[in-house]
């Protein structure tokens, strides 16, 4: 089962509040490649943009979101030969291995864990890719919705949250202490962030056997 084991807690691990603040600021600093809109204006469009998954994948997810989880550019494989949108790799060059796969959808595709278009639901597509890669952990996102899966544990997401909700909550927050206070008032969001940070933190994977 693909989970961190023999974890060594070290002082340089980022606190949850700092991680949440960094993630929110990463979202807020993003601008849409075509229009230059910020994340709030971009996702406020009704209907949402269609066919924008490549732009979201290349800019928002790869350049903003994944660095908040401490992934460096050489740990993020963009559009692999196997047609995985984004593959996350460990930093250990001697024992390099995939950690997770990120499947991105257009911002026009909503309710990613519930919809079905054609034969395959998005979660089923992600599960197929993970089986092909020989791993269990994956992320399904449209730039706002963020669903973390561990298919070794089941077919329901381990945790889900809205990046827009997080960015809105912490939009005017500047310190981890204030971020922690805001998150305490949103226990479900706080729990989802904690689970995501535990499973996806690149630095934690560096401390596993």
């Amino acid at each position: 089962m693909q989970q961190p084991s023999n974890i060594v807690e070290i002082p340089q691990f980022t606190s949850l509040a700092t991680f949440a603040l960094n993630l929110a600021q990463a979202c807020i600093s993003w601008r849409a490649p075509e229009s230059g809109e910020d994340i709030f204006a971009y996702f406020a469009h009704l209907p949402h943009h269609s066919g924008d998954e490549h732009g979201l994948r290349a800019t928002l997810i790869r350049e903003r979101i994944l660095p908040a989880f401490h992934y460096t550019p050489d740990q993020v494989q963009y559009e692999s030969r196997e047609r995985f949108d984004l593959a996350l790799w460990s930093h250990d060059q001697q024992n390099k291995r995939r950690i997770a796969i990120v499947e991105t959808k257009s911002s026009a595709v909503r309710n990613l864990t519930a919809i079905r278009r054609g034969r395959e639901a998005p979660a089923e597509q992600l599960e197929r890719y993970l089986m092909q890669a020989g791993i269990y952990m994956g992320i399904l996102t449209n730039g706002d919705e963020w669903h973390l899966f561990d298919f070794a544990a089941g077919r329901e997401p381990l945790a889900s949250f809205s990046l827009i909700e997080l960015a809105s909550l912490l939009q005017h927050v500047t310190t981890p202490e204030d971020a922690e206070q805001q998150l305490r008032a949103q226990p479900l969001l706080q729990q989802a962030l904690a689970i995501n940070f535990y499973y996806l933190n690149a630095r934690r994977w560096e401390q596993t056997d």
Side-chain angles (χ1 to χ4, degrees):
M1 181 174 178
Q2 187 217 27
Q3 293 182 3
S5 60
N6 299 326
I7 293 168
V8 179
E9 294 292 347
I10 55 178
Q12 62 261 38
F13 274 167
T14 309
S15 71
L16 180 61
T18 300
F19 160 69
L21 185 56
N22 289 342
L23 184 57
Q25 291 174 342
C27 293
I28 293 167
S29 67
W30 176 78
R31 294 295 180 270
E34 300 273 332
S35 65
E37 294 171 295
D38 66 22
I39 196 166
F40 304 111
Y42 187 80
F43 280 88
H45 287 284
L46 290 174
H48 294 283
H49 307 271
S50 60
D52 62 350
E53 58 264 37
H54 292 285
L56 292 173
R57 181 187 314 152
T59 60
L60 177 61
I61 306 304
R62 180 176 64 171
E63 296 178 8
R64 304 289 180 177
I65 303 305
L66 294 177
F69 287 92
H70 303 303
Y71 289 95
T72 58
D74 64 328
Q75 289 179 270
V76 181
Q77 183 181 17
Y78 185 78
E79 296 185 346
S80 69
R81 291 178 303 174
E82 303 96 329
R83 301 182 65 185
F84 307 148
D85 288 348
L86 296 165
L88 308 182
W89 289 81
S90 67
H91 207 275
D92 184 356
Q93 295 298 322
Q94 294 182 343
N95 186 28
K96 196 170 181 181
R97 53 184 172 144
R98 283 194 186 103
I99 296 171
I101 288 171
V102 182
E103 174 64 20
T104 60
K105 296 299 180 186
S106 164
S107 63
V109 182
R110 314 301 289 175
N111 302 314
L112 294 179
T113 61
I115 65 165
R116 175 180 290 275
R117 291 185 173 182
R119 302 183 192 174
E120 201 172 43
E124 292 172 340
Q125 180 185 12
L126 176 61
E127 183 179 19
R128 175 166 57 82
Y129 287 160
L130 291 169
M131 289 179 62
Q132 183 180 342
I135 57 177
Y136 299 107
M137 194 162 65
I139 299 99
L140 190 58
T141 183
N142 63 3
D144 174 21
E145 297 178 38
W146 184 274
H147 305 282
L148 172 67
F149 289 85
D150 180 352
F151 285 103
R155 292 188 172 181
E156 294 298 319
L158 287 179
S160 300
F161 69 97
S162 163
L163 289 164
I164 304 294
E165 180 186 357
L166 175 66
S168 299
L169 180 69
L170 302 184
Q171 185 175 8
H172 303 295
V173 172
T174 57
T175 68
E177 292 75 20
D178 289 341
E180 185 175 4
Q181 185 176 3
Q182 292 291 329
L183 288 172
R184 282 201 200 111
Q186 302 289 336
L188 294 180
L189 176 59
Q190 183 180 41
Q191 181 184 41
L193 288 168
I195 293 171
N196 271 272
F197 190 47
Y198 177 82
Y199 278 86
L200 290 177
N201 182 6
R203 291 180 181 172
R204 191 181 299 278
W205 283 92
E206 293 173 12
Q207 303 302 316
T208 63
D209 290 339

